[in-house]
Coordinates of all heavy atoms in Angstrom, one line a residue:
M1 N 103.2 168.9 97.8 CA 102.2 168.0 97.1 C 100.9 168.6 97.1 O 100.2 168.7 96.1 CB 102.1 166.7 97.9 CG 103.2 165.7 97.3 SD 102.6 164.0 97.7 CE 104.1 163.2 98.1
D2 N 100.4 169.1 98.3 CA 99.2 169.8 98.3 C 99.1 171.0 97.5 O 98.1 171.4 97.0 CB 98.9 170.1 99.8 CG 98.1 169.0 100.5 OD1 97.9 168.0 99.8 OD2 97.8 169.1 101.7
D3 N 100.2 171.7 97.3 CA 100.3 173.0 96.7 C 99.7 172.9 95.3 O 98.8 173.7 94.9 CB 101.7 173.4 96.6 CG 102.1 174.3 97.8 OD1 101.2 174.4 98.7 OD2 103.2 174.8 97.9
S4 N 100.1 171.9 94.5 CA 99.7 171.9 93.1 C 98.2 171.6 93.0 O 97.5 172.2 92.1 CB 100.5 170.8 92.3 OG 100.2 169.5 92.9
I5 N 97.7 170.9 93.9 CA 96.3 170.6 93.9 C 95.4 171.8 94.2 O 94.5 172.2 93.5 CB 95.9 169.5 94.9 CG1 96.6 168.2 94.4 CG2 94.4 169.3 95.0 CD1 96.6 167.1 95.5
S6 N 95.8 172.5 95.2 CA 95.0 173.7 95.6 C 95.1 174.8 94.6 O 94.2 175.6 94.4 CB 95.4 174.2 97.0 OG 96.8 174.6 97.0
M7 N 96.3 174.9 94.0 CA 96.5 175.9 93.0 C 95.5 175.7 91.8 O 94.9 176.7 91.4 CB 97.9 175.9 92.4 CG 99.0 176.5 93.3 SD 99.4 178.2 92.7 CE 100.3 177.9 91.2
E8 N 95.4 174.5 91.4 CA 94.5 174.2 90.3 C 93.0 174.5 90.6 O 92.3 175.1 89.9 CB 94.6 172.7 89.9 CG 95.7 172.5 88.8 CD 95.8 171.1 88.4 OE1 96.0 170.3 89.2 OE2 95.5 170.9 87.2
V9 N 92.7 174.2 91.9 CA 91.3 174.4 92.3 C 91.0 175.9 92.4 O 90.0 176.4 91.9 CB 91.1 173.7 93.7 CG1 89.7 174.1 94.2 CG2 91.2 172.2 93.5
D10 N 92.0 176.6 93.0 CA 91.8 178.1 93.2 C 91.8 178.8 91.9 O 91.1 179.9 91.7 CB 92.8 178.6 94.1 CG 92.6 178.2 95.6 OD1 91.5 177.6 95.8 OD2 93.4 178.5 96.4
G11 N 92.7 178.4 91.0 CA 93.0 179.1 89.8 C 91.8 179.7 89.1 O 91.9 180.8 88.6
G12 N 90.7 179.0 89.1 CA 89.5 179.5 88.3 C 88.9 180.8 89.0 O 88.8 181.8 88.3
N13 N 88.6 180.7 90.2 CA 87.8 181.8 90.8 C 88.5 182.6 91.8 O 88.8 183.8 91.6 CB 86.5 181.2 91.5 CG 85.7 180.3 90.5 OD1 85.5 180.8 89.3 ND2 85.3 179.2 90.9
I14 N 88.8 182.0 92.9 CA 89.1 182.8 94.1 C 90.4 183.6 94.0 O 90.3 184.8 94.3 CB 89.2 181.8 95.3 CG1 88.0 180.9 95.4 CG2 89.4 182.6 96.6 CD1 88.3 179.6 96.2
T15 N 91.4 183.1 93.5 CA 92.7 183.8 93.4 C 92.8 184.8 92.2 O 93.6 185.6 92.2 CB 93.9 182.9 93.4 OG1 93.6 181.9 92.4 CG2 94.1 182.2 94.8
Q16 N 91.8 184.6 91.4 CA 91.9 185.4 90.1 C 92.1 186.9 90.3 O 92.9 187.6 89.8 CB 90.8 185.1 89.2 CG 91.0 185.5 87.7 CD 89.8 185.2 86.9 OE1 88.8 184.8 87.4 NE2 89.9 185.5 85.6
N17 N 91.2 187.4 91.1 CA 91.1 188.8 91.3 C 92.4 189.4 91.9 O 93.0 190.2 91.2 CB 89.8 189.1 92.2 CG 89.2 190.4 91.7 OD1 89.6 190.9 90.6 ND2 88.2 190.9 92.4
P18 N 92.7 189.1 93.1 CA 93.9 189.7 93.7 C 95.2 189.4 92.9 O 96.0 190.3 92.8 CB 94.0 189.1 95.1 CG 93.1 187.8 95.0 CD 92.1 188.1 94.0
E19 N 95.3 188.3 92.3 CA 96.6 188.0 91.6 C 96.7 188.9 90.4 O 97.8 189.4 90.1 CB 96.6 186.5 91.2 CG 97.7 185.8 91.8 CD 97.8 184.4 91.3 OE1 98.0 184.2 90.1 OE2 97.6 183.5 92.1
N20 N 95.6 189.1 89.7 CA 95.7 189.9 88.5 C 96.0 191.4 88.8 O 96.9 192.0 88.2 CB 94.3 189.9 87.8 CG 94.2 188.8 86.8 OD1 95.2 188.0 86.7 ND2 93.1 188.6 86.3
M21 N 95.5 191.9 89.9 CA 95.7 193.2 90.3 C 97.2 193.4 90.7 O 97.9 194.3 90.3 CB 94.8 193.6 91.5 CG 93.5 194.1 90.9 SD 92.4 194.5 92.3 CE 93.1 195.9 92.9
E22 N 97.7 192.5 91.5 CA 99.0 192.6 92.0 C 100.0 192.5 90.8 O 101.0 193.2 90.7 CB 99.4 191.5 92.9 CG 99.3 191.9 94.4 CD 99.7 190.8 95.3 OE1 100.8 190.3 95.2 OE2 98.8 190.4 96.1
R23 N 99.7 191.6 89.9 CA 100.6 191.4 88.8 C 100.7 192.7 87.9 O 101.8 193.1 87.5 CB 100.1 190.3 87.9 CG 101.3 189.4 87.4 CD 100.9 188.1 86.9 NE 101.0 187.0 87.9 CZ 100.6 185.8 87.8 NH1 100.0 185.5 86.7 NH2 100.9 184.9 88.7
S24 N 99.5 193.3 87.6 CA 99.7 194.4 86.7 C 100.3 195.6 87.4 O 101.0 196.5 86.8 CB 98.3 194.9 86.2 OG 97.5 195.2 87.3
E25 N 100.1 195.7 88.7 CA 100.8 196.8 89.4 C 102.3 196.6 89.4 O 103.1 197.6 89.2 CB 100.4 196.8 90.9 CG 99.3 197.8 91.2 CD 98.9 197.8 92.6 OE1 99.7 198.0 93.5 OE2 97.7 197.6 92.9
M26 N 102.7 195.4 89.5 CA 104.2 195.1 89.6 C 104.8 195.4 88.2 O 105.9 195.9 88.1 CB 104.4 193.7 90.0 CG 104.6 193.5 91.5 SD 104.8 191.8 92.0 CE 106.3 191.3 91.2
E27 N 104.1 195.0 87.2 CA 104.6 195.3 85.8 C 104.8 196.8 85.6 O 105.8 197.3 85.0 CB 103.7 194.7 84.7 CG 104.0 193.3 84.4 CD 103.0 192.7 83.5 OE1 102.4 193.4 82.6 OE2 102.7 191.5 83.7
E28 N 103.8 197.6 86.0 CA 103.9 199.0 85.9 C 105.1 199.5 86.7 O 105.9 200.4 86.2 CB 102.6 199.7 86.4 CG 101.6 199.9 85.3 CD 100.4 200.7 85.8 OE1 100.6 201.7 86.5 OE2 99.3 200.2 85.5
D29 N 105.3 199.0 87.8 CA 106.4 199.4 88.7 C 107.7 199.2 88.0 O 108.6 200.0 88.0 CB 106.3 198.6 90.0 CG 106.5 199.5 91.2 OD1 106.0 200.6 91.1 OD2 107.2 199.1 92.2
I30 N 107.9 198.0 87.4 CA 109.1 197.7 86.8 C 109.4 198.6 85.5 O 110.4 199.1 85.3 CB 109.1 196.2 86.3 CG1 109.1 195.3 87.5 CG2 110.2 195.9 85.3 CD1 108.7 193.9 87.2
K31 N 108.3 198.9 84.8 CA 108.4 199.8 83.7 C 108.9 201.2 84.1 O 109.8 201.8 83.6 CB 107.1 200.0 83.0 CG 106.9 198.9 81.9 CD 105.6 199.1 81.2 CE 105.2 197.7 80.6 NZ 103.7 197.8 80.2
K32 N 108.3 201.7 85.2 CA 108.7 203.0 85.7 C 110.2 203.0 86.1 O 110.9 203.9 85.9 CB 107.8 203.3 86.9 CG 106.6 204.0 86.6 CD 105.8 204.3 87.8 CE 104.3 204.5 87.5 NZ 103.5 204.5 88.7
K33 N 110.6 202.0 86.8 CA 112.0 201.9 87.3 C 112.9 201.9 86.1 O 114.0 202.5 86.1 CB 112.2 200.6 88.1 CG 111.9 200.9 89.6 CD 111.9 199.6 90.4 CE 111.3 199.8 91.7 NZ 111.0 198.5 92.4
K34 N 112.5 201.2 85.0 CA 113.4 201.1 83.9 C 113.6 202.4 83.2 O 114.7 202.8 82.7 CB 112.9 200.0 82.9 CG 113.4 198.7 83.2 CD 113.0 197.7 82.1 CE 113.4 196.3 82.5 NZ 112.8 195.3 81.6
T35 N 112.4 203.2 83.1 CA 112.6 204.5 82.4 C 113.3 205.5 83.2 O 114.0 206.3 82.7 CB 111.2 205.0 82.0 OG1 110.3 204.8 83.1 CG2 110.6 204.3 80.8
K36 N 113.2 205.4 84.5 CA 113.9 206.3 85.4 C 115.4 206.0 85.5 O 116.1 206.8 85.9 CB 113.3 206.2 86.9 CG 112.2 207.3 87.1 CD 111.9 207.2 88.6 CE 110.8 208.3 88.9 NZ 110.5 208.3 90.3
A37 N 115.7 204.8 85.1 CA 117.1 204.4 85.0 C 117.8 204.4 86.4 O 117.1 204.5 87.4 CB 117.9 205.3 84.0
V38 N 119.1 204.4 86.3 CA 119.9 204.1 87.5 C 120.1 205.4 88.3 O 120.4 205.4 89.5 CB 121.2 203.5 87.2 CG1 121.8 202.7 88.4 CG2 121.1 202.6 86.0
T39 N 119.9 206.6 87.6 CA 120.3 207.8 88.3 C 119.7 208.1 89.6 O 120.2 208.4 90.6 CB 119.9 209.0 87.4 OG1 120.3 208.6 86.0 CG2 120.5 210.2 87.8
S40 N 118.3 207.8 89.6 CA 117.6 208.0 90.9 C 117.9 206.9 91.9 O 117.7 207.1 93.1 CB 116.1 208.1 90.6 OG 115.6 206.9 90.0
D41 N 118.3 205.7 91.4 CA 118.6 204.7 92.2 C 119.8 205.0 93.2 O 119.8 204.5 94.3 CB 119.0 203.5 91.4 CG 118.3 202.2 91.8 OD1 117.1 202.3 92.1 OD2 118.9 201.1 91.8
V42 N 120.7 205.8 92.7 CA 121.9 206.2 93.4 C 121.5 206.9 94.8 O 122.1 206.6 95.8 CB 122.7 207.1 92.6 CG1 123.6 208.0 93.5 CG2 123.5 206.4 91.6
W43 N 120.4 207.5 94.7 CA 120.0 208.3 95.9 C 119.4 207.4 97.0 O 119.0 207.9 98.1 CB 119.0 209.5 95.5 CG 119.7 210.4 94.6 CD1 119.5 210.6 93.3 CD2 120.9 211.2 94.9 NE1 120.3 211.5 92.7 CE2 121.2 211.9 93.7 CE3 121.7 211.4 96.1 CZ2 122.3 212.7 93.7 CZ3 122.7 212.3 96.0 CH2 123.0 212.9 94.8
R44 N 119.3 206.2 96.7 CA 118.9 205.3 97.9 C 120.1 205.0 98.7 O 120.0 204.5 99.9 CB 118.4 204.0 97.2 CG 117.0 204.1 96.7 CD 116.6 203.1 95.7 NE 116.8 201.7 96.3 CZ 116.7 200.6 95.6 NH1 116.5 200.7 94.3 NH2 116.8 199.4 96.1
Y45 N 121.3 205.3 98.2 CA 122.5 205.0 99.0 C 123.3 206.2 99.3 O 124.2 206.1 100.1 CB 123.4 204.0 98.2 CG 122.6 202.8 97.7 CD1 122.2 202.7 96.4 CD2 122.5 201.7 98.5 CE1 121.5 201.6 95.9 CE2 121.8 200.6 98.1 CZ 121.3 200.5 96.8 OH 120.6 199.4 96.4
F46 N 122.9 207.3 98.8 CA 123.6 208.5 99.1 C 122.6 209.6 99.6 O 121.4 209.5 99.2 CB 124.3 209.1 97.8 CG 125.5 208.3 97.4 CD1 125.3 207.2 96.5 CD2 126.8 208.5 97.9 CE1 126.4 206.4 96.1 CE2 127.8 207.7 97.5 CZ 127.6 206.7 96.6
T47 N 123.1 210.5 100.4 CA 122.3 211.6 100.8 C 122.8 212.9 100.2 O 124.0 213.2 100.2 CB 122.4 211.7 102.3 OG1 122.0 210.5 102.9 CG2 121.5 212.9 102.8
K48 N 121.9 213.7 99.6 CA 122.3 215.0 99.0 C 122.6 215.9 100.1 O 121.8 216.1 101.0 CB 121.2 215.5 98.2 CG 121.1 214.8 96.8 CD 119.9 215.4 96.0 CE 119.8 214.8 94.6 NZ 118.7 215.2 93.8
L49 N 123.8 216.5 100.0 CA 124.1 217.5 101.1 C 123.9 218.9 100.6 O 124.0 219.9 101.3 CB 125.6 217.3 101.4 CG 126.0 215.9 102.0 CD1 127.5 215.9 102.2 CD2 125.3 215.7 103.3
G50 N 123.7 219.0 99.3 CA 123.5 220.4 98.7 C 124.9 221.0 98.4 O 125.9 220.5 98.7
P51 N 124.9 222.2 97.8 CA 126.1 222.9 97.4 C 126.9 223.3 98.6 O 126.4 223.7 99.6 CB 125.6 224.0 96.6 CG 124.2 224.2 97.0 CD 123.7 222.9 97.4
G52 N 128.3 223.2 98.5 CA 129.1 223.7 99.6 C 129.5 225.1 99.4 O 128.9 225.8 98.6
D53 N 130.6 225.5 100.0 CA 131.1 226.9 99.9 C 131.4 227.3 98.4 O 131.3 228.4 98.0 CB 132.3 227.1 100.7 CG 132.0 227.0 102.2 OD1 130.8 227.2 102.5 OD2 132.9 226.8 103.0
D54 N 131.9 226.3 97.7 CA 132.3 226.6 96.3 C 131.1 226.4 95.3 O 131.3 226.5 94.1 CB 133.4 225.6 95.9 CG 133.1 224.2 96.3 OD1 132.0 223.9 96.7 OD2 134.0 223.3 96.1
G55 N 129.9 226.2 95.9 CA 128.7 226.1 95.1 C 128.6 224.7 94.4 O 127.7 224.5 93.6
I56 N 129.5 223.8 94.7 CA 129.4 222.5 94.1 C 128.6 221.6 95.0 O 128.9 221.4 96.1 CB 130.8 221.9 93.8 CG1 131.6 222.7 92.9 CG2 130.8 220.4 93.3 CD1 133.1 222.4 92.8
D57 N 127.6 220.9 94.3 CA 126.8 220.0 95.1 C 127.6 218.8 95.6 O 128.5 218.3 94.9 CB 125.7 219.5 94.2 CG 124.6 220.5 94.0 OD1 123.9 220.8 95.0 OD2 124.4 221.0 92.9
R58 N 127.2 218.4 96.8 CA 127.9 217.2 97.4 C 126.9 216.2 97.8 O 125.7 216.5 98.2 CB 128.8 217.7 98.5 CG 130.1 218.2 98.1 CD 130.8 218.8 99.2 NE 132.2 219.2 98.8 CZ 132.5 220.3 98.1 NH1 131.5 221.0 97.6 NH2 133.7 220.5 97.7
A59 N 127.4 214.9 97.9 CA 126.6 213.9 98.3 C 127.4 213.0 99.2 O 128.6 212.9 99.1 CB 126.1 213.0 97.1
Q60 N 126.8 212.4 100.2 CA 127.4 211.6 101.2 C 127.0 210.2 101.1 O 125.8 209.9 101.1 CB 127.2 212.1 102.6 CG 128.0 211.4 103.6 CD 127.9 212.0 105.0 OE1 126.8 212.5 105.4 NE2 129.0 212.0 105.8
C61 N 127.9 209.2 101.1 CA 127.6 207.8 101.0 C 127.0 207.4 102.4 O 127.6 207.7 103.4 CB 128.8 207.0 100.7 SG 128.6 205.3 100.9
D62 N 125.8 206.8 102.3 CA 125.2 206.4 103.6 C 126.0 205.2 104.2 O 125.9 205.0 105.4 CB 123.8 205.9 103.3 CG 122.8 207.0 102.9 OD1 123.2 208.2 103.3 OD2 121.9 206.8 102.2
G63 N 126.7 204.5 103.5 CA 127.5 203.4 104.0 C 128.7 203.8 104.7 O 128.9 203.4 105.9
C64 N 129.6 204.5 104.1 CA 130.9 204.8 104.7 C 131.1 206.3 105.0 O 132.2 206.7 105.4 CB 132.0 204.3 103.7 SG 132.0 205.1 102.1
K65 N 130.0 207.1 104.8 CA 130.0 208.5 105.1 C 131.1 209.3 104.3 O 131.4 210.4 104.6 CB 130.3 208.7 106.6 CG 129.3 208.0 107.5 CD 127.9 208.5 107.3 CE 126.9 207.6 108.1 NZ 125.5 207.9 107.7
Q66 N 131.5 208.7 103.2 CA 132.4 209.4 102.3 C 131.7 210.5 101.6 O 130.5 210.3 101.1 CB 133.1 208.5 101.4 CG 134.5 208.8 101.1 CD 135.1 207.7 100.1 OE1 135.6 208.1 99.0 NE2 135.0 206.5 100.5
K67 N 132.3 211.7 101.4 CA 131.6 212.7 100.6 C 132.2 212.8 99.2 O 133.3 212.6 99.0 CB 131.8 214.1 101.4 CG 130.9 214.1 102.6 CD 131.3 215.4 103.4 CE 130.5 215.3 104.8 NZ 130.9 216.4 105.6
F68 N 131.3 213.2 98.3 CA 131.6 213.2 96.9 C 131.1 214.6 96.3 O 130.0 215.0 96.8 CB 131.0 212.1 96.1 CG 131.5 210.7 96.5 CD1 130.9 210.0 97.6 CD2 132.6 210.2 95.9 CE1 131.4 208.8 98.0 CE2 133.1 208.9 96.3 CZ 132.5 208.2 97.3
K69 N 131.8 215.1 95.3 CA 131.3 216.2 94.6 C 130.3 215.5 93.6 O 130.8 214.9 92.6 CB 132.4 216.8 93.8 CG 133.2 217.7 94.8 CD 134.4 218.4 94.0 CE 135.3 219.1 94.9 NZ 136.5 219.6 94.2
A70 N 129.1 215.6 93.8 CA 128.1 215.0 92.9 C 126.7 215.5 93.2 O 126.4 216.2 94.2 CB 128.1 213.5 93.2
G71 N 125.8 215.3 92.3 CA 124.4 215.6 92.5 C 124.1 216.8 91.7 O 122.9 217.0 91.3
G72 N 125.1 217.7 91.4 CA 124.8 218.9 90.6 C 124.9 218.6 89.2 O 125.1 217.5 88.7
K73 N 124.7 219.7 88.4 CA 124.8 219.5 86.9 C 126.2 219.2 86.5 O 126.5 218.5 85.5 CB 124.2 220.7 86.2 CG 122.7 220.7 86.1 CD 122.2 222.1 85.6 CE 120.7 222.1 85.8 NZ 120.1 223.4 85.7
Q74 N 127.2 219.8 87.2 CA 128.6 219.7 86.7 C 129.1 218.2 86.9 O 129.8 217.7 86.2 CB 129.5 220.6 87.5 CG 129.1 222.0 87.6 CD 128.3 222.3 88.9 OE1 127.4 221.6 89.3 NE2 128.9 223.2 89.7
Y75 N 128.7 217.6 88.0 CA 129.3 216.4 88.4 C 128.3 215.2 88.2 O 128.8 214.1 88.1 CB 129.8 216.4 89.9 CG 131.0 217.2 90.0 CD1 131.0 218.6 90.3 CD2 132.3 216.7 89.8 CE1 132.1 219.3 90.4 CE2 133.4 217.4 89.8 CZ 133.3 218.8 90.2 OH 134.4 219.5 90.3
G76 N 127.1 215.4 88.2 CA 126.1 214.3 88.0 C 126.3 213.2 89.1 O 126.7 213.6 90.2
T77 N 126.0 212.0 88.7 CA 126.0 211.0 89.7 C 127.0 209.8 89.3 O 127.0 208.8 89.9 CB 124.6 210.3 89.9 OG1 124.1 210.0 88.6 CG2 123.7 211.3 90.5
S78 N 127.8 210.1 88.3 CA 128.7 209.0 87.8 C 129.7 208.6 88.8 O 130.0 207.4 89.0 CB 129.4 209.5 86.5 OG 129.9 210.7 86.7
S79 N 130.2 209.5 89.6 CA 131.2 209.1 90.6 C 130.5 208.3 91.7 O 131.1 207.4 92.3 CB 131.9 210.3 91.2 OG 130.9 211.2 91.7
L80 N 129.2 208.7 92.0 CA 128.5 207.9 93.0 C 128.2 206.5 92.5 O 128.4 205.5 93.3 CB 127.2 208.6 93.3 CG 127.2 210.1 93.7 CD1 125.9 210.6 94.1 CD2 128.2 210.3 94.9
K81 N 127.9 206.4 91.2 CA 127.6 205.0 90.7 C 128.9 204.2 90.7 O 128.9 203.0 91.1 CB 127.1 205.2 89.3 CG 125.6 205.5 89.2 CD 125.2 205.4 87.7 CE 124.4 206.6 87.4 NZ 124.2 206.8 85.9
R82 N 130.0 204.9 90.4 CA 131.3 204.1 90.4 C 131.6 203.6 91.8 O 132.0 202.5 92.1 CB 132.4 205.1 90.0 CG 133.3 204.4 88.9 CD 134.4 205.3 88.5 NE 133.8 206.5 87.8 CZ 134.2 207.8 88.0 NH1 135.2 208.0 88.9 NH2 133.7 208.8 87.4
H83 N 131.3 204.4 92.8 CA 131.5 204.0 94.2 C 130.6 202.9 94.6 O 131.1 201.9 95.2 CB 131.2 205.3 95.1 CG 131.4 205.0 96.6 ND1 132.7 204.7 97.1 CD2 130.6 204.9 97.6 CE1 132.6 204.5 98.4 NE2 131.3 204.6 98.7
L84 N 129.4 202.8 94.1 CA 128.5 201.7 94.4 C 129.0 200.4 93.7 O 128.7 199.3 94.3 CB 127.1 202.0 93.9 CG 126.3 203.1 94.7 CD1 125.0 203.4 94.0 CD2 126.1 202.7 96.1
D85 N 129.6 200.6 92.6 CA 130.1 199.4 91.9 C 131.1 198.6 92.7 O 131.3 197.4 92.4 CB 130.7 199.8 90.5 CG 129.6 200.1 89.5 OD1 128.5 199.7 89.8 OD2 130.0 200.7 88.5
R86 N 131.8 199.2 93.6 CA 132.8 198.5 94.4 C 132.2 197.5 95.4 O 132.8 196.6 95.9 CB 133.6 199.5 95.2 CG 134.4 200.4 94.3 CD 134.6 201.8 95.1 NE 136.0 202.2 95.1 CZ 136.6 202.9 96.0 NH1 135.9 203.2 97.1 NH2 137.9 203.2 96.0
F87 N 130.9 197.7 95.7 CA 130.3 196.8 96.7 C 130.1 195.4 96.1 O 129.7 195.3 95.0 CB 129.0 197.4 97.2 CG 129.2 198.5 98.1 CD1 128.8 199.8 97.7 CD2 129.9 198.5 99.4 CE1 129.0 200.9 98.5 CE2 130.1 199.5 100.1 CZ 129.7 200.8 99.8
Ligands
ZN101 ZN1 130.5 204.3 100.6

């Protein structure tokens, strides 16, 4: 009940400044994430191990420690994304 009243009172002056700043920052953040797409998102759940003996890049799932041939140009991150889809 009190909330709606205080919101209306604050709306004019006091909250205007910080709210505007936070909002525009968040919008920019969302835009950046969208353009970067899901590819970089994958690396929040996997760790790049780098190329193995065969020169193929590998990545390890942070959750189940499973290793995948991924991360390099040949394999990309599609297999990692598929693995994440199972969760
Ligand atoms: Zn996993």
